[in-house]
Amino acid sequence: MKKILLLGSTGSIGTQTLEVLEQYSDEFQVVGLVAYQNEKLLRTQQEKFTNANAILLQRDGFGKVESLIEKSDIVVNVLSGESGIAPSIQTLEKGKKLLIANKEALVVAGETLMKIARKNKTEIIPIDSELTGILECLGKRPIHEVEKIILTCSGGPFHGKTREELENVTVAQALKHPRWNMGKKISMDSATLMNKGFELIAASFIFGISQEKIEVVIHPESIVRALIQWRDGNITAAISPVDMRHTITYALFHPERKASTLPRLDLTKTPLTFQKPDEKIFRSLGLAREAAEKGEKRTAELSRKNDEAVGKFLNGEIKFLEI
């Protein structure tokens, strides 16, 4: 019975993680539920997972989180923002396995996290459709056999639009993602493609591969999550229904495969299309490549500047293209 601490239990990925954990209650015991401010939902979750300590960060702070990390075998960090960095570091320093969907932590402190993980002989497993897809494709093969990693991208709400068409887009339009129902910040990053830029940075850190060997392609169906092209020219792909619970289940049991009752994909009803992103309009990808090439200090700066710009757009201070 593995003991699980879930950081960010009331968010979208957090609630889906709990759905998965319910299905495997004989495998996992939830010892802690940590939320930022949604106390009502946190209490409801605690009624279901009666052995779990509940912490509301807005009220309790991070003081009690470290002791819960100590009691856990696996820490699942799905917090948003840079608040997720410190508990990730604590988890790895204590030699615990870290499952992480906190992209900001990987972008701002990816090099640091990987060094701590290696030093303490523990693992970082991404909970992200694309990054986890890379992990699945890679298996136990060495990274030097990889010719390139291919990250797929839905394209967000503005794929195919011209600069003129994007000149006066509204906040509501930018937040309307064609595939996923997400929070404001990640929805905005998906609209600008910065989210894909952050995944490129995270992939470079996690898998130890140059950004030059990472390609981004638009795949509107969001079914092919990631691909690896090997040095012999063959390609391996990670494919699943558009359902984060598949990714969460894989991450929880990695490297094992467990039987699940999750929806299956009917390939006879599934068209697959791929296109190149327009990096002249969506400049985030180029900025992410430049930052990844220069290291952690520059990627941290990119993350913070992006936060500022997105905040200004959401507040009506700048236009979409000014981000």
Side-chain angles (χ1 to χ4, degrees):
M1 182 78 81
K2 298 280 178 63
K3 293 180 179 179
I4 296 270
L5 169 60
L6 178 56
L7 307 176
S9 66
T10 58
S12 174
I13 299 180
T15 55
Q16 291 179 84
T17 299
L18 290 177
E19 285 181 37
V20 173
L21 290 171
E22 276 189 271
Q23 300 300 310
Y24 299 100
S25 57
D26 57 336
E27 303 258 8
F28 301 105
Q29 179 188 354
V30 180
V31 298
L33 297 167
V34 179
Y36 179 65
Q37 63 181 4
N38 192 340
E39 185 172 11
K40 184 178 179 181
L41 180 52
L42 180 63
R43 294 304 169 200
T44 300
Q45 292 174 342
Q46 192 180 29
E47 288 171 7
K48 188 171 289 186
F49 295 88
T50 54
N51 291 318
N53 290 281
I55 296 175
L56 193 69
L57 293 176
Q58 196 176 54
R59 182 193 63 214
D60 305 324
F62 275 97
K64 298 178 182 177
V65 173
E66 189 169 1
S67 64
L68 286 177
I69 292 174
E70 192 72 59
K71 296 175 183 176
S72 306
D73 299 306
I74 300 171
V75 175
V76 181
N77 184 354
V78 298
L79 290 168
S80 61
E82 292 188 22
S83 63
I85 298 175
S88 292
I89 290 173
Q90 291 172 351
T91 297
L92 297 171
E93 285 179 339
K94 294 179 186 299
K96 309 293 184 177
K97 188 174 183 178
L98 176 65
L99 274 55
I100 187 166
N102 178 223
K103 204 163 291 176
E104 288 84 357
L106 293 172
V107 171
V108 173
E111 288 179 356
T112 298
L113 292 175
M114 293 307 297
K115 286 177 185 176
I116 297 171
R118 287 191 293 268
K119 180 181 176 182
N120 292 283
K121 296 181 172 58
T122 189
E123 290 182 283
I124 298 176
I125 305 295
I127 298 180
D128 178 276
S129 293
E130 293 79 9
L131 297 178
T132 312
I134 296 170
L135 186 68
E136 290 185 65
C137 291
L138 188 60
K140 294 183 178 180
R141 304 306 308 171
I143 197 69
H144 71 262
E145 292 185 0
V146 174
E147 185 170 291
K148 68 177 175 180
I149 286 171
I150 304 170
L151 287 172
T152 59
C153 173
S154 71
F158 302 133
H159 173 56
K161 301 291 185 183
T162 64
R163 288 191 70 86
E164 290 73 23
E165 290 173 312
L166 295 178
E167 188 64 42
N168 294 304
V169 299
T170 65
V171 169
Q173 289 171 324
L175 294 176
K176 193 174 182 181
H177 196 277
R179 286 284 172 184
W180 307 100
N181 180 21
M182 307 177 291
K184 283 187 177 182
K185 175 59 168 57
I186 191 170
S187 295
M188 281 302 309
D189 287 344
S190 294
T192 63
L193 298 198
M194 184 60 85
N195 187 56
K196 200 53 49 179
F198 286 159
E199 283 177 10
L200 183 152
I201 291 168
S204 180
F205 287 153
I206 291 172
F207 301 104
I209 191 168
S210 166
Q211 61 83 20
E212 296 172 349
K213 291 188 173 184
I214 303 174
E215 180 182 354
V216 174
V217 299
I218 303 295
H219 172 53
E221 297 85 7
S222 300
I223 289 167
V224 179
R225 296 182 286 112
L227 309 95
I228 285 180
Q229 181 168 298
W230 305 95
R231 61 185 179 183
D232 62 5
N234 288 303
I235 293 177
T236 301
I239 305 173
S240 67
V242 183
D243 187 330
M244 274 300 295
R245 293 175 298 172
H246 283 276
T247 296
I248 293 164
T249 301
Y250 179 81
L252 283 168
F253 286 105
H254 173 80
E256 292 183 70
R257 294 277 186 178
K258 287 284 183 176
S260 84
T261 57
L262 291 172
R264 268 41 177 178
L265 190 65
D266 184 348
L267 287 173
T268 65
K269 299 176 181 177
T270 309
L272 303 176
T273 57
F274 302 91
Q275 302 155 39
K276 287 185 177 294
D278 188 336
E279 295 196 30
K280 291 182 180 178
I281 294 178
F282 297 97
R283 294 176 54 213
S284 299
L285 293 174
L287 292 171
R289 289 188 184 281
E290 178 188 337
E293 193 68 30
K294 294 183 177 179
E296 188 176 89
K297 287 185 179 179
R298 185 58 65 89
T299 60
E301 182 184 9
L302 177 66
S303 177
R304 293 181 184 122
K305 292 292 185 183
N306 179 66
D307 282 354
E308 291 174 17
V310 167
K312 287 181 179 180
F313 173 73
L314 291 173
N315 290 330
E317 298 173 39
I318 61 173
K319 290 185 175 183
F320 179 77
L321 288 177
E322 291 181 273
I323 294 175

